[in-house]
Amino acid sequence: MAAKRQWFIGTRMVDSNWYDAHATFYGDMNGGETMQGACGYGDLFQQGYGLETAALSTALFNNGLTCGACFEIKCYNNPQWCYPNAGTIKVTATNFCPPNYSKPDGNWCNPPLKHFDLSMAMFTKLAQYRAGIIPVKYRHVLCSKKGGVQFQIKGNPWWTLVVLYNVGGAGDIMDVKIKGSKIGSWLPMTRNWGVNWQTGENLIGQSLSFQVTTSDGKMIEFDNVAPENWQFYQNFDGKINF
């Protein structure tokens, strides 16, 4: 096997190697069944992901740590179904394709298989929908997002849950810290699930700042993202991105 080649862009790293996997699709051409999902996103159209999404098998999902990462995928070595000159698609990991141990074969999302369950719209850019399943090559690429990182604040006075979305660069987040204007020090948040991060601090009546670190080690500080009068279930624009 050839040595892994990696490109460094600033502090960011892109693996340029292509790896083997398979792909199927779920839902309909309008994205039915692909909204929300195991990463904790909401309406993927409103949040900027649209149909360019994928559910990952256990081997790729990594217990939700891969949520938000972006992949480039191409149909490979299946002339019966692959569209000639289809090129590649780019998708964001937004969901989990769970394993199925109830039947002896056809369980494409079971470990250790690497598998992408795409939206129907993305699958049919690569191959005829009648194919059902196709062999693909994939690689982990930087996410290109428009606008700033977005923060949605949920919870109650004793528990603050923040959903981070529209994250560029590596896309998948490995650390989040929060600071209230009256506290003055950075508090570590813990991952509740997927892209949801939590703290038990009461932060009502304080403007909120965040430090977000993606999986490649790049950290951005988002100062005073939410004003003092923020309310639960509001969204706030971080203005900048990775």
Side-chain angles (χ1 to χ4, degrees):
M1 186 183 215
K4 289 186 177 179
R5 301 182 309 279
Q6 294 168 329
W7 302 333
F8 289 87
I9 304 176
T11 59
R12 292 176 286 179
M13 184 173 64
V14 181
D15 188 345
S16 62
N17 293 277
W18 291 93
Y19 299 96
D20 293 316
H22 283 82
T24 49
F25 67 87
Y26 68 118
D28 56 29
M29 286 297 286
N30 296 317
E33 299 180 26
T34 66
M35 298 296 110
Q36 286 84 42
C39 286
Y41 294 104
D43 185 318
L44 295 172
F45 289 105
Q46 290 182 1
Q47 294 178 337
Y49 298 100
L51 300 173
E52 297 175 352
T53 62
L56 307 186
S57 65
T58 300
L60 293 170
F61 191 67
N62 195 18
N63 291 318
L65 299 183
T66 312
C67 290
C70 294
F71 296 90
E72 185 176 12
I73 301 171
K74 59 184 176 183
C75 194
Y76 177 73
N77 200 29
N78 191 339
Q80 180 183 0
W81 300 115
C82 293
Y83 289 133
N85 305 313
T88 64
I89 59 170
K90 291 182 181 179
V91 296
T92 303
T94 59
N95 206 351
F96 176 50
C97 182
N100 181 356
Y101 299 104
S102 65
K103 54 183 182 176
D105 52 34
N107 303 309
W108 294 103
C109 289
N110 287 18
L113 299 178
K114 295 179 177 179
H115 189 83
F116 295 88
D117 206 10
L118 303 170
S119 69
M120 187 177 183
M122 288 295 102
F123 184 93
T124 53
K125 287 181 181 293
L126 298 176
Q128 301 176 50
Y129 80 93
R130 290 181 294 120
I133 182 167
I134 54 173
V136 296
K137 293 276 191 180
Y138 76 93
R139 60 184 176 184
H140 189 176
V141 298
L142 292 178
C143 301
S144 178
K145 305 298 182 187
K146 296 178 180 177
V149 172
Q150 303 294 305
F151 299 80
Q152 182 183 34
I153 303 176
K154 300 181 178 181
N156 57 53
W158 304 275
W159 175 66
T160 303
L161 186 73
V162 180
V163 184
L164 289 89
Y165 62 95
N166 198 52
V167 179
D172 45 347
I173 297 167
M174 71 175 187
D175 186 71
V176 180
K177 292 181 174 65
I178 190 169
K179 182 172 67 174
S181 55
K182 295 177 182 177
I183 295 175
S185 59
W186 292 103
L187 304 172
M189 303 188 78
T190 57
R191 190 191 304 271
N192 183 284
W193 56 290
V195 295
N196 293 260
W197 293 77
Q198 64 187 2
T199 178
E201 290 288 331
N202 185 335
L203 297 167
I204 291 176
Q206 305 180 56
S207 63
L208 302 180
S209 301
F210 297 89
Q211 287 181 347
V212 181
T213 306
T214 46
S215 64
D216 56 357
K218 182 172 184 182
M219 187 275 283
I220 293 182
E221 188 170 309
F222 300 85
D223 292 322
N224 300 316
V225 170
E228 291 183 357
N229 62 346
W230 64 266
Q231 302 290 318
F232 289 110
Y233 297 94
Q234 287 183 323
N235 296 304
F236 298 97
D237 184 356
K239 301 284 198 286
I240 53 177
N241 216 317
F242 290 87

